Amino acid sequence: MLFLLLALVFSAVLALVLKYLNTGSPYGVYLVNYITCAVLAFATLQPRTLYNGDATPCWLGAITGLVYLASLAANGYSIHKNGAILSSVFTRLGVLVPILLSVTLFGERPTLLQGLGVILAVAAAVVMNGLSGRREAAEQRVYLIPLVLTLLLNGTADAMSKVFNQLGRRQDDGLFMFYIFLFAGLATLVLLLRQHRPVTKRDVLFGILAGVPNFLSSRLLLAALGQLPAFLVYPSYSVGVILVISVASFFLFRERLNRRQLGAAGMILAALVLL
């Protein structure tokens, strides 16, 4: 249980760090973030080798790294446009993507409760974005496209772990994580070079601040899955991150959800528990 609690705390810290990325080109921060994660991942490899007889961690990690970069960029943009609370809710709602892929590609069948969770989650997304009154819309504008991108890309990133579970070997989990961060960092470096933008001291600071909780949340979640059943870990992790960010955003940024969004957020939390 301790690993799970620490994982959701570090995931919330990552979202709150991204809250401060108000610059128009945050890729310097992302580069340092991925370098930090790759260094930490390599330091924890046992044995410390970059090839363990199977190329799956390398090529699948490369694909996943590109998706990770896209999801991080979408998440940071959504937090800037919609705030940390709404963005975190839709990040957690991305759990729908690996569930759908598992059903369609891997032959898994959801239970009745999980099916009800899917329906409730979709209904909550409609309520969150499509049923606002004029007065509420004037008070707080919701940017739907960043939220949808956050949902899809974060869900796809989670789904890649399921793909690796099907194709890879358990002893290569550390290598898979290392190559994810390595290729995400290389893709970020290409973007930086095309923009001719140097990495600043601010980028290094925020990159390390984001990279440490980014890596720790991923590793601690894996550790939690080794001790607790997945049906307990994933809903608790999703709900816990939302609650931590909601409380922290209220005290740090004075962010509040309106009544409609509070109701929709409650529906999403219930859906995640059912899932």
Side-chain angles (χ1 to χ4, degrees):
M1 184 61 71
L2 178 61
F3 288 146
L4 178 60
L5 293 175
L6 290 175
L8 67 89
V9 168
F10 283 118
S11 183
V13 170
L14 173 61
L16 294 174
V17 169
L18 293 176
K19 172 69 178 180
Y20 284 100
L21 299 184
N22 298 321
T23 177
S25 181
Y27 292 109
V29 176
Y30 296 160
L31 175 62
V32 178
N33 159 67
Y34 287 127
I35 291 175
T36 302
C37 291
V39 170
L40 292 174
F42 181 77
T44 58
L45 285 179
Q46 294 294 335
R48 194 163 297 171
T49 177
L50 298 181
Y51 181 72
N52 202 20
D54 184 7
T56 302
C58 181
W59 67 264
L60 193 56
I63 296 174
T64 307
L66 297 178
V67 177
Y68 265 48
L69 174 60
S71 66
L72 184 58
N75 191 34
Y77 179 64
S78 182
I79 289 174
H80 175 61
K81 301 293 288 188
N82 295 292
I85 298 176
L86 277 179
S87 299
S88 176
V89 169
F90 275 77
T91 298
R92 304 279 74 81
L93 190 58
V95 73
L96 292 173
V97 175
I99 289 176
L100 292 176
L101 287 179
S102 296
V103 171
T104 57
L105 296 181
F106 305 125
E108 297 183 359
R109 295 293 178 264
T111 65
L112 176 60
L113 289 179
Q114 290 171 333
L116 292 176
V118 172
I119 296 173
L120 184 59
V122 174
V126 174
V127 172
M128 180 74 76
N129 296 282
L131 299 179
S132 61
R134 293 182 179 178
R135 181 175 300 179
E136 287 184 343
E139 293 177 354
Q140 181 175 351
R141 182 180 179 183
V142 175
Y143 295 86
L144 180 59
I145 292 179
L147 293 174
V148 173
L149 288 176
T150 298
L151 185 157
L152 293 177
L153 290 171
N154 279 275
T156 302
D158 292 338
M160 296 305 291
S161 296
K162 175 65 177 178
V163 174
F164 181 74
N165 283 333
Q166 295 291 320
L167 301 179
R169 305 177 302 184
R170 299 286 64 76
Q171 63 264 34
D172 293 333
D173 287 350
L175 274 177
F176 177 60
M177 180 170 292
F178 169 77
Y179 281 115
I180 287 175
F181 296 130
L182 174 64
F183 281 98
L186 292 175
T188 307
L189 179 60
V190 171
L191 293 176
L192 271 177
L193 293 176
R194 292 187 62 181
Q195 294 177 354
H196 303 286
R197 181 181 180 273
V199 177
T200 65
K201 292 182 180 179
R202 179 183 181 277
D203 293 337
V204 174
L205 173 62
F206 278 94
I208 295 175
L209 289 177
V212 172
N214 190 11
F215 171 77
L216 289 177
S217 63
S218 300
R219 292 297 293 174
L220 288 167
L221 184 61
L222 287 176
L225 288 169
Q227 294 186 349
L228 299 172
F231 66 82
L232 172 63
V233 171
Y234 283 115
S236 300
Y237 180 73
S238 299
V239 173
V241 171
I242 293 173
L243 293 179
V244 170
I245 290 178
S246 298
V247 173
S249 294
F250 174 78
F251 285 105
L252 296 177
F253 311 123
R254 299 302 177 185
E255 290 186 8
R256 294 187 179 184
L257 297 175
N258 56 42
R259 293 181 180 179
R260 173 182 57 81
Q261 292 168 337
L262 281 173
M267 294 170 63
I268 291 176
L269 294 180
L272 289 171
V273 172
L274 291 174
L275 290 170

